[in-house]
Amino acid sequence: MNIKIIKVTLLCIILLLFDLIRPLGYSLNSELAILGIFFLAYNLDLNHSLLLAAFLGLCKDSFSLDRFSFSAIEFPLLCILIYNLSSLFIFNRRPSQAMFIKSIIVFFCLLLHAVYSSLLNRVFDFYWSLSFIFQSYLIWFMINYCLKQLVIYEKTRN
Amino acid sequence: MGFFPLKQPLKALFLFLSDKPHFLAKSLYQQKNQNLESENLALKLQIKELEHFAHENQSLRKALKLAEAKGISIQAADIITFSPTNWRRNAFLNKGVNDNVNIGDIAIDENANLLGKIVDAGNETSQIFFADDPEFKSTAFIGEHTFGLLSGNLTGAKLLYVEDGENINSGDTVWMLIPGSQLIIDVGKVRNVQKNDNSLFWDIEVSLFTRKHISKRVFLIQ
């Protein structure tokens, strides 16, 4: 099995575990599982990312009281959206431009997730949703930066 | 014997003199003893009086068909896992039906403030909705007479269907009554009071005393 798939899967599971354990309680207004979807979509091919996204969605919904598994549908759809937007806008761009467009796509997906979850749970609070989007975006940015530093460090060490 | 003619009188005097302190001490202890016995009797009478009042209270409750005041017990439980979605505030606990946890049990924190309510109980685990969960609903009071439906909204809670909100001010304490007992627990403080002209009810926002849920221990009132 591809080592990259294992690494990304492990990262997604760790992020979901953080959501379940919540060491900071609800002080942190973010869902780390959705950030795992972004890493899936950007690092794996579409088939693998769809399967893993559906699996992650099922795991997340197993703790929900709803009978229907909404995340198992939402996560793969987000993967398809990210994949298509990336193909459309990132193809053949400089790395800095690609990074900027990636960030915009992540921001847009977080906004979609906030709207979808608000409709699903019938809770509409503009400032709270905005706080969720900005906090999640910052955390994704930090994790992405740390992982990149780790990859560069591994490459220079080898 | 004849050599000491005064032996007997001296002996008697000596005995008399040595007995005097004992005699004095005896009366002191006797007095103390008497006081304690009186006090004990007074306390016994008080206990009898209170027992009589308790019995009268139970009879009156029966006559008025009020629920009998039950004794309460507190059960500590630990949070195993939270719900992974950020739009809900619920968690799973490590106590269930086997530990006498029932649906509807109220959960409080270590400061006796409202945390939430049990909504589902399995054999070994149970699920709690925290007070700021959108699905959390319970009756709550402000002051002596004003009451409404406490409903969570992620950032705190709201008191719905309040008809007489003229005397409610920001900072007033919101409290609730434990079903089946006279126990009162604090919920939070009033954050904002307003009324739309087109609405029958007052819009009361409540700031809960417990919101962040950093502590992983809850206490269930049974």
Side-chain angles (χ1 to χ4, degrees):
Chain A
M1 203 184 206
N2 196 346
I3 197 82
K4 204 175 183 183
I5 296 172
I6 297 172
K7 281 181 181 175
V8 175
T9 310
L10 207 60
L11 175 67
C12 290
I13 290 170
I14 290 170
L15 290 172
L16 181 63
L17 274 172
F18 260 99
D19 269 348
L20 293 172
I21 297 166
R22 290 197 183 265
L24 300 174
Y26 287 105
S27 307
L28 194 62
N29 186 8
S30 176
E31 272 182 35
L32 300 182
I34 196 77
L35 303 182
I37 297 302
F38 301 146
F39 288 109
L40 271 178
Y42 281 129
N43 289 290
L44 301 180
D45 57 82
L46 187 61
N47 294 334
H48 287 117
S49 64
L50 281 176
L51 276 168
L52 286 169
F55 175 69
L56 200 67
L58 274 171
C59 289
K60 188 187 165 204
D61 281 337
S62 60
F63 294 93
S64 164
L65 285 172
D66 298 321
R67 286 195 188 139
F68 192 70
S69 181
F70 292 101
S71 298
I73 295 172
E74 184 204 353
F75 286 178
L77 285 175
L78 276 176
C79 280
I80 294 170
L81 181 69
I82 292 169
Y83 186 80
N84 286 324
L85 287 174
S86 303
S87 312
L88 199 64
F89 294 111
I90 295 180
F91 179 73
N92 209 21
R93 296 236 183 220
R94 287 202 304 266
S96 56
Q97 281 178 336
M99 187 61 209
F100 177 71
I101 293 168
K102 252 189 193 178
S103 308
I104 301 286
I105 292 170
V106 163
F107 198 86
F108 177 65
C109 289
L110 283 170
L111 180 67
L112 276 179
H113 179 69
V115 168
Y116 176 75
S117 298
S118 294
L119 286 169
L120 204 63
N121 294 289
R122 294 181 299 277
V123 176
F124 306 101
D125 193 315
F126 175 71
Y127 295 110
W128 188 86
S129 300
L130 207 62
S131 155
F132 164 79
I133 292 168
F134 278 113
Q135 283 193 31
S136 303
Y137 178 73
L138 278 170
I139 292 168
W140 172 80
F141 193 76
M142 270 171 18
I143 296 174
N144 200 33
Y145 180 76
C146 292
L147 286 175
K148 270 196 176 154
Q149 295 300 311
L150 204 70
V151 166
I152 291 167
Y153 172 71
E154 286 288 336
K155 275 186 180 167
T156 52
R157 205 175 69 157
N158 293 336
Chain B
M1 210 60 164
F3 192 67
F4 294 110
L6 298 173
K7 188 178 177 179
Q8 285 301 324
L10 276 171
K11 189 178 169 186
L13 184 66
F14 177 77
L15 283 171
F16 174 75
L17 287 171
S18 67
D19 193 42
K20 239 340 187 192
H22 283 291
F23 174 75
L24 281 169
K26 206 170 150 186
S27 70
L28 208 66
Y29 286 133
Q30 258 183 351
Q31 190 62 35
K32 254 193 176 173
N33 208 19
Q34 273 175 7
N35 291 344
L36 286 169
E37 276 181 359
S38 309
E39 214 177 302
N40 194 22
L41 194 60
L43 287 169
K44 275 185 181 171
L45 285 170
Q46 266 187 25
I47 287 171
K48 268 195 173 172
E49 192 186 26
L50 289 170
E51 274 175 3
H52 170 72
F53 282 142
H55 187 258
E56 197 181 343
N57 185 276
Q58 291 291 335
S59 324
L60 287 170
R61 280 178 169 275
K62 247 185 195 169
L64 292 169
K65 290 181 186 159
L66 287 173
E68 267 191 43
K70 297 177 198 167
I72 56 151
S73 67
I74 308 269
Q75 163 97 270
D78 289 324
I79 294 175
I80 309 168
T81 170
F82 289 88
S83 170
T85 177
N86 218 37
W87 270 260
R88 296 303 300 272
R89 295 283 190 267
N90 56 61
F92 288 86
L93 308 176
N94 65 347
K95 295 275 161 73
V97 171
N98 293 347
D99 305 289
N100 292 326
V101 174
N102 299 305
I103 294 173
D105 283 351
I106 298 293
I108 56 174
D109 65 0
E110 60 276 357
N111 298 319
N113 296 320
L114 176 72
L115 258 182
K117 194 163 62 170
I118 300 293
V119 294
D120 189 33
N123 287 334
E124 302 290 335
T125 59
S126 52
Q127 190 167 16
I128 176 175
F129 276 6
F130 292 119
D132 47 357
D133 186 272
E135 298 287 322
F136 179 89
K137 304 276 186 276
S138 186
T139 310
F141 298 83
I142 303 175
E144 284 183 29
H145 304 292
T146 311
F147 63 93
L149 186 69
L150 187 76
S151 174
N153 65 357
L154 294 180
T155 53
K158 274 192 167 182
L159 206 59
L160 306 173
Y161 312 123
V162 175
E163 288 179 331
D164 51 344
E166 294 89 4
N167 299 323
I168 299 173
N169 302 308
S170 289
D172 286 351
T173 303
V174 180
W175 54 275
M176 65 184 278
L177 206 61
I178 301 295
S181 78
Q182 299 300 312
L183 199 63
I184 291 172
I185 54 171
D186 287 336
V187 174
K189 284 200 181 296
V190 173
R191 188 167 57 191
N192 191 20
V193 185
Q194 62 185 30
K195 187 173 190 288
N196 291 330
D197 292 331
N198 299 328
S199 174
L200 277 172
F201 304 110
W202 289 75
D203 203 12
I204 298 174
E205 285 177 21
V206 177
S207 169
L208 297 169
F209 287 135
T210 53
R211 255 203 67 222
K212 301 296 180 192
H213 310 304
I214 295 173
S215 167
K216 303 291 182 276
R217 168 84 34 108
V218 305
F219 298 92
L220 302 171
I221 299 176
Q222 296 172 329

